[in-house]
Amino acid sequence: MKLISIVVPCYNEEESIELFYSTVQPVIEGIGYADYEFIYVNDGSKDSTEQKMRELSNAKKNVRYISFSRNFGKEAAMLAGIEAARGDAVVLMDVDLQDPPELLPQMIEDWANGGYDVVYTRRSTRSGEPPLRSWFAKQFYKLINKMSDVHIVDGARDYRLMDRKAVDSFLRLRERNRFAKGLFMWVGYKSKCIEFENVERAAGNTSWSFWKLVHYAIDGIVSFTISPLRWATYFGLFTASSAFLYMFYVIFSKLVYGNPVSGYASIVSIMLFFGGLQLIFLGIIGEYIGRIFIEVKARPNYIVKEESSQPVTNMEKVRKGIIQR
Ligand code: UDP
Ligand code: MG
């Protein structure tokens, strides 16, 4: 029988740990196609999430957990869970039940009998979200799709099922700046998208602030394309050639009309304009250099403080060369 691993990243989700299990377990049990394991990842929660996971893991033999030494972010939590997964397929789900378990039978069917290696999901609506946030999200997807080669579907969730092949390919990407939505797409394989209507959280609050989302968007763009650097080059070429033409004009008018000592306004505007432009482009270059700095340090993506009693080991994968350490 095949094994499906369900990976659940959790940050301050004490109310949802058990609720998630008791909701999803019957669904997957009902499908009956495969055995299953739950892998909870505690991303440095400050509430009793870890305690709840420990209890659940002690009570149910197919529940394992990994607990981080601090909050490393959802990307790191997903990575840890995927690394620990032993399944023939891995399903990523949010613990707040915003990823409807009712889709699981369809996803597993598509994987088992439909020949799909990846079944991912997207929200067709963003109801219940502040309109401004939806607008920014839309613009972000437009922008990143215009700029980079990988196509990231607007409203794509992290909720997805991946075959072992896709999982192992994903794990070969060892970068520190992890923008999983893009990485999953980058990996490729035969994929299918399932749509669903937005669902409100079952309990607790979202931990994403507006600024966190802005940073996430910048990370996404910078880690998937270098086209901002190219823009800087083109824009530099354009302004340099305009400046050159303007220089001729200035010299010409000096020779023909003499030197009327005006021009304070134009000089100041030009200085400020180019000063600002240079700072922006320096900032863009800085974004990339900062990421090189982080990659070069090659720190681990997360630190595990505690694991469930059936230890989660990566040694097998390291031996197989899936993970380089
Ligand atoms: N999460 C996490 N680490 C974080 C933030 C969030 O593991 O630093 C988890 C969180 O517990 C949830 C999932 O990621 O299971 C999605 O988070 P959330 O519901 O806050 O995001 P939203 O659904 O609003 O996009
Ligand atoms: Mg959520």
Side-chain angles (χ1 to χ4, degrees):
M1 207 167 178
K2 297 212 164 175
L3 176 71
I4 295 179
S5 306
I6 299 180
V7 168
V8 206
C10 309
Y11 178 54
N12 294 341
E13 304 274 10
E14 54 185 4
E15 295 151 86
S16 305
I17 304 294
E18 258 182 63
L19 183 66
F20 179 83
Y21 183 82
S22 59
T23 315
V24 176
Q25 190 268 341
V27 177
I28 196 154
E29 183 86 54
I31 300 168
Y33 173 74
D35 278 335
Y36 54 89
E37 61 171 0
F38 283 75
I39 299 168
Y40 282 93
V41 184
N42 170 30
D43 185 10
S45 302
K46 293 178 182 69
D47 60 4
S48 65
T49 298
E50 185 184 77
Q51 176 63 23
K52 290 266 152 56
M53 285 181 185
R54 204 178 293 130
E55 285 165 13
L56 189 67
S57 166
N58 288 339
K60 314 278 179 194
K61 72 174 192 336
N62 51 10
V63 175
R64 290 189 280 151
Y65 72 93
I66 303 166
S67 196
F68 287 176
S69 59
R70 65 169 172 83
N71 180 248
F72 282 90
K74 188 184 176 190
E75 303 288 331
M78 289 193 294
L79 177 66
I82 294 174
E83 282 183 350
R86 300 174 181 140
D88 301 292
V90 175
V91 177
L92 279 174
M93 283 179 97
D94 285 1
V95 75
D96 56 10
L97 293 174
Q98 275 189 305
D99 297 335
E102 308 86 79
L103 300 184
L104 279 172
Q106 177 71 50
M107 293 166 85
I108 292 174
E109 165 69 23
D110 285 332
W111 166 65
N113 302 316
Y116 287 100
D117 298 314
V118 176
V119 185
Y120 64 99
T121 62
R122 78 175 274 263
R123 287 187 298 184
S124 51
T125 56
R126 290 177 171 270
S127 56
E129 207 184 53
L132 191 68
R133 192 173 185 161
S134 300
W135 186 82
F136 272 112
K138 265 214 182 83
Q139 300 313 311
F140 163 68
Y141 284 109
K142 261 194 202 152
L143 191 68
I144 194 166
N145 283 327
K146 225 175 240 162
M147 286 167 38
S148 74
D149 319 329
V150 277
H151 181 72
I152 300 170
V153 180
D154 180 5
R157 302 281 303 170
D158 290 321
Y159 183 24
R160 57 177 54 236
L161 180 149
M162 289 183 289
D163 184 74
R164 174 51 54 188
K165 281 185 291 198
V167 170
D168 287 348
S169 307
F170 174 77
L171 290 178
R172 284 177 57 198
L173 310 178
R174 299 311 301 169
E175 58 214 76
R176 318 285 133 181
N177 296 295
R178 299 191 76 85
F179 182 66
K181 271 189 191 129
L183 296 179
F184 292 139
M185 288 295 172
W186 188 89
V187 164
Y189 290 102
K190 194 173 176 207
S191 310
K192 181 180 172 176
C193 179
I194 296 182
E195 301 204 352
F196 67 96
E197 300 248 322
N198 191 29
V199 188
E200 305 266 332
R201 268 177 157 270
N205 286 313
T206 176
S207 45
W208 289 87
S209 67
F210 180 75
W211 282 110
K212 232 173 152 180
L213 283 172
V214 172
H215 289 307
Y216 183 69
I218 294 180
D219 276 343
I221 290 171
V222 173
S223 60
F224 269 86
T225 169
I226 53 163
S227 57
L229 294 174
R230 200 154 299 148
W231 291 350
T233 312
Y234 290 149
F235 207 82
L237 281 174
F238 172 73
T239 46
S241 31
S242 328
F244 202 64
L245 293 177
Y246 187 65
M247 190 182 78
F248 276 114
Y249 164 74
V250 171
I251 291 171
F252 179 75
S253 64
K254 159 84 182 159
L255 292 178
V256 176
Y257 305 113
N259 187 11
V261 190
S262 66
Y264 172 76
S266 59
I267 287 177
V268 167
S269 337
I270 290 170
M271 264 174 51
L272 292 179
F273 175 71
F274 282 102
L277 211 63
Q278 280 166 355
L279 286 183
I280 292 174
F281 288 144
L282 268 181
I284 293 179
I285 296 172
E287 287 287 337
Y288 287 93
I289 295 182
R291 273 162 187 80
I292 298 173
F293 176 61
I294 290 168
E295 296 295 334
V296 162
K297 278 191 292 187
R299 291 192 179 155
N301 280 303
Y302 56 85
I303 302 226
V304 174
K305 182 185 73 175
E306 180 185 319
E307 292 174 40
S308 43
S309 39
Q310 309 135 284
V312 174
T313 126
N314 288 325
M315 280 320 288
E316 223 172 309
K317 287 174 185 160
V318 174
R319 251 179 268 126
K320 280 189 204 153
I322 298 165
I323 308 174
Q324 288 116 33
R325 284 278 155 79

